[in-house]
Amino acid sequence: MLLALKSGELAADAIADGLAAGDTSAAQLGRWSENFNRGVDRMRRLVCEYYDGFSFGAFIRKFPDLRNTVTDLLIGDLFEDRV
């Protein structure tokens, strides 16, 4: 569900920006896909690490300053470069 909603949001933003700028080229309308694909890759890596035995709790205990970043990732905030 997260991926469907996020792809719709990113595509809508690209369309709105394109219409406002008078640019409805394929490059403009498809510009959202690179960011989306990066987010999907981040999600895939999180899931793979989880199933390989990665402990988010142990990670947080070792790096408590990253607690908020890990929380953001786990709630689906995977589409921002800050994470």
Side-chain angles (χ1 to χ4, degrees):
M1 184 63 91
L2 169 71
L3 297 178
L5 292 172
K6 190 62 178 181
S7 65
E9 175 187 1
L10 292 171
D13 288 345
I15 293 166
D17 292 347
L19 290 173
D23 179 7
T24 56
S25 67
Q28 168 60 35
L29 298 181
R31 72 176 172 83
W32 63 275
S33 64
E34 185 177 330
N35 184 24
F36 180 75
N37 289 336
R38 269 194 314 271
V40 169
D41 185 56
R42 289 174 181 143
M43 178 180 284
R44 182 192 56 76
R45 286 186 286 160
L46 272 176
V47 169
C48 288
E49 290 301 323
Y50 173 79
Y51 283 110
D52 282 344
F54 180 79
S55 170
F56 291 100
F59 182 83
I60 293 299
R61 284 189 291 282
K62 187 172 181 178
F63 302 100
D65 55 313
L66 295 176
R67 174 187 293 272
N68 290 337
T69 301
V70 170
T71 300
D72 289 346
L73 287 169
L74 293 175
I75 63 171
D77 191 6
L78 304 159
F79 299 92
E80 301 295 326
D81 287 335
R82 68 177 176 72
V83 298

